[in-house]
Amino acid sequence: MAMECRDIKIKELLPEHAAGKLRGDALDRVERHLGSCADCRGEMDLLRMLAAEPVPEPGPAFWEGFPGKVYREVQKEKAVGKRRWYPFRLLDIVVFPGWAPVAALLSVVTIAAVLAWYGSRHFGETPRTETLSQNEYLFEEPEAPLHEYLSGLDEDGLREVDSWSERELVAVAGEIEDAGLNGSRGDYSGEISRMNEEELRRFSSMLEAWEKEVSNET
Amino acid sequence: MDPMDEDRGLIERCGAGEREAFDELVRKHQRPLYRMLRRMVGNHEDAADLLQGAFVKAFTGLGGFRGMCSFRTWLYRIALNLVKNHYRDRAREATVELDELIAGENPGTLAALIKKQQRLMLGRGLQELPEKQRLTLVLRAQEGHAFAEIAEILKCSPGAARANYHHAVEKLKRLMGSCEAPGEMRPSAEEGA
């Protein structure tokens, strides 16, 4: 067998040469190269055989009727598509049917993950019991930093925090009153629930600082 | 007019419900696509089914065609995915009909006999190639597509398309070269090979 030729540029022109489409400089270059390269001559023989391989075609009747056949099938598909449930039509917009089972699986996994997250947030808390005394905590000590914990609470949760802080930090509330920050002791749950994350973070830092101060004094 | 612009114009008119534009777009691409499918699957019935399937999918999914590639590239991509499904669904009988056609020929001369054997080997060699190499070789050497378009159809880089083509050619050359026993006659120019 001839030594393998490394002239990629010539090799890439060979299919056009086999099809008789090369002209001008490109044609001259390829013809000159073929004169001295047995490997490329062998490749030309191969490509000519490939290009010359006849493909039997159906007769004129097939071609004349084909566009009409396609048109009728397309109209049928469109009519079926209109009757389908809309979410499945959305899947049909993606041309390749292989997408449909993958999309369905991803949807199921996503919905399951969202439900699991929602369940852990709203059903994993310690339930209220009437046996807890007035001064006992109604919720578990949060494991996350306090400002993160507070920013994740809903209005009921914030109301509980407020009640707790009112009961447990009586001294702190008193100091707030003395300092004139609030006119009178009241229900802070509304204010707390309207706080954004930055305000909640500052509020939790204040509570932590006051708690330290109170525990130091006692 | 640029062929891509011509197709875009026809697609717009199809979208507006013009039947004439629909027929023109089908007639423009039906024969080249049929030839490629026929080379891939080897018989008329499957090629005709796949041809119709490709056009129907293309026209029902025309809303998803964003014009980032030519309509021809998009149509060929759909067709080749159908071919892959076709291979997955049934055993590969791709060369049965073509083999029978070649085997049924009655070569009158020794040169013609040798050529017939070579064509049989070539057909079988093509089927032995990995799918992407075979597709690239068919699209380049038999259908005349440029590497850039082949890359778009097969969703690979132009470099990968070139590499697939060169590997395919080298494999076939080795196969055809190994078929020639010492002393076996090669058809000469005088014998009209």
Side-chain angles (χ1 to χ4, degrees):
Chain A
M1 264 177 84
M3 235 171 60
E4 196 180 320
C5 175
R6 302 261 180 223
D7 195 334
I8 300 295
K9 286 198 167 92
I10 292 288
K11 280 180 176 285
E12 287 182 2
L13 289 173
L14 293 182
E16 265 93 7
H17 188 45
K21 290 180 181 170
L22 279 190
R23 298 284 180 270
D25 288 342
L27 178 62
D28 291 339
R29 236 182 327 130
V30 169
E31 293 275 306
R32 262 200 312 276
H33 180 86
L34 287 175
S36 59
C37 181
D39 183 47
C40 286
R41 282 200 300 275
E43 192 163 319
M44 273 301 297
D45 289 343
L46 180 69
L47 292 173
R48 282 199 182 107
M49 282 176 64
L50 280 170
E53 197 56 45
V55 179
E57 280 202 23
F62 176 85
W63 296 120
E64 274 159 29
F66 186 73
K69 211 170 159 194
V70 172
Y71 185 80
R72 283 189 295 278
E73 279 304 310
V74 168
Q75 298 312 305
K76 245 191 247 174
E77 287 286 319
K78 282 182 177 173
V80 166
K82 277 183 189 152
R83 289 197 293 270
R84 272 197 198 144
W85 192 38
Y86 187 67
F88 289 120
R89 282 163 53 199
L90 280 181
L91 292 177
D92 283 348
I93 286 170
V94 181
V95 175
F96 306 117
W99 267 104
V102 173
L105 184 64
L106 280 175
S107 307
V108 167
V109 167
T110 307
I111 290 167
V114 166
L115 284 174
W117 174 82
Y118 185 84
S120 69
R121 296 295 276 174
H122 292 275
F123 300 115
E125 295 167 354
T126 305
R128 291 174 186 271
T129 73
E130 291 176 2
T131 58
L132 288 173
S133 70
Q134 200 179 356
N135 286 332
E136 285 183 17
Y137 295 138
L138 290 178
F139 54 89
E140 297 284 338
E141 188 74 26
E143 290 174 10
L146 188 59
H147 65 268
E148 275 184 28
Y149 176 78
L150 287 173
S151 65
L153 293 178
D154 61 7
E155 200 167 317
D156 285 341
L158 286 169
R159 203 171 285 120
E160 286 175 18
V161 168
D162 178 55
S163 307
W164 170 83
S165 66
E166 208 178 305
R167 279 193 308 278
E168 298 299 316
L169 299 177
V170 167
V172 172
E175 286 190 17
I176 290 171
E177 280 179 23
D178 292 339
L181 291 176
N182 287 295
S184 61
R185 197 187 298 183
D187 177 8
Y188 300 113
S189 64
E191 287 174 17
I192 294 171
S193 66
R194 281 190 291 277
M195 285 183 189
N196 61 28
E197 199 178 320
E198 181 57 35
E199 287 166 339
L200 280 169
R201 200 177 293 126
R202 282 205 301 265
F203 177 67
S204 77
S205 302
M206 279 164 57
L207 285 178
E208 280 169 349
W210 289 333
E211 192 184 15
K212 263 190 206 150
E213 221 174 343
V214 165
S215 61
N216 285 342
E217 278 180 15
T218 56
Chain B
M1 189 190 268
D2 181 11
M4 266 179 78
D5 290 335
E6 203 177 285
D7 281 353
R8 276 203 198 102
L10 287 170
I11 288 165
E12 275 168 22
R13 286 162 58 196
C14 279
E18 213 181 295
R19 175 69 194 268
E20 194 57 39
F22 180 96
D23 286 355
E24 201 179 320
L25 201 51
V26 172
R27 274 190 228 107
K28 190 176 169 187
H29 296 286
Q30 62 186 9
R31 283 187 201 242
L33 186 56
Y34 174 86
R35 278 198 301 272
M36 191 206 68
L37 289 169
R38 185 72 186 262
R39 289 186 205 278
M40 295 305 299
V41 299
N43 69 85
H44 168 70
E45 284 71 32
D46 289 340
D49 283 345
L50 291 170
L51 183 71
Q52 183 176 312
F55 273 108
V56 170
K57 268 205 178 310
F59 281 107
T60 51
L62 214 49
F65 176 61
R66 289 174 207 89
M68 304 292 282
C69 58
S70 69
F71 178 76
R72 182 171 87 155
T73 299
W74 193 59
L75 182 63
Y76 273 58
R77 224 185 258 165
I78 293 170
L80 287 174
N81 273 288
L82 291 178
V83 168
K84 283 183 195 168
N85 295 340
H86 171 83
Y87 281 145
R88 204 177 46 228
D89 292 345
R90 58 187 83 183
R92 290 218 329 222
E93 306 160 1
T95 57
V96 169
E97 192 184 273
L98 285 175
D99 267 0
E100 284 172 1
L101 278 173
I102 296 170
E105 291 168 5
N106 199 5
T109 64
L110 183 58
L113 177 65
I114 290 168
K115 194 165 179 190
K116 174 181 157 182
Q117 287 302 113
Q118 287 178 330
R119 283 167 62 203
L120 273 170
M121 285 308 304
L122 186 63
R124 283 175 199 151
L126 268 173
Q127 296 310 311
E128 295 296 316
L129 290 173
E131 193 176 278
K132 271 214 161 138
Q133 288 182 15
R134 181 160 40 89
L135 285 169
T136 308
L137 187 61
V138 166
L139 288 169
R140 180 81 183 113
Q142 295 182 310
E143 298 298 319
H145 292 256
F147 284 119
E149 190 176 4
I150 293 171
E152 283 190 346
I153 292 170
L154 298 181
K155 287 192 176 175
C156 64
S157 66
R162 286 186 161 84
N164 281 328
Y165 169 79
H166 289 300
H167 288 315
V169 166
E170 291 307 314
K171 275 189 190 138
L172 282 184
K173 270 158 60 179
R174 275 197 297 276
L175 178 71
M176 302 301 283
S178 69
C179 294
E180 290 175 17
E184 188 176 346
M185 213 174 116
R186 287 190 69 124
S188 67
E190 290 86 23
E191 287 176 310

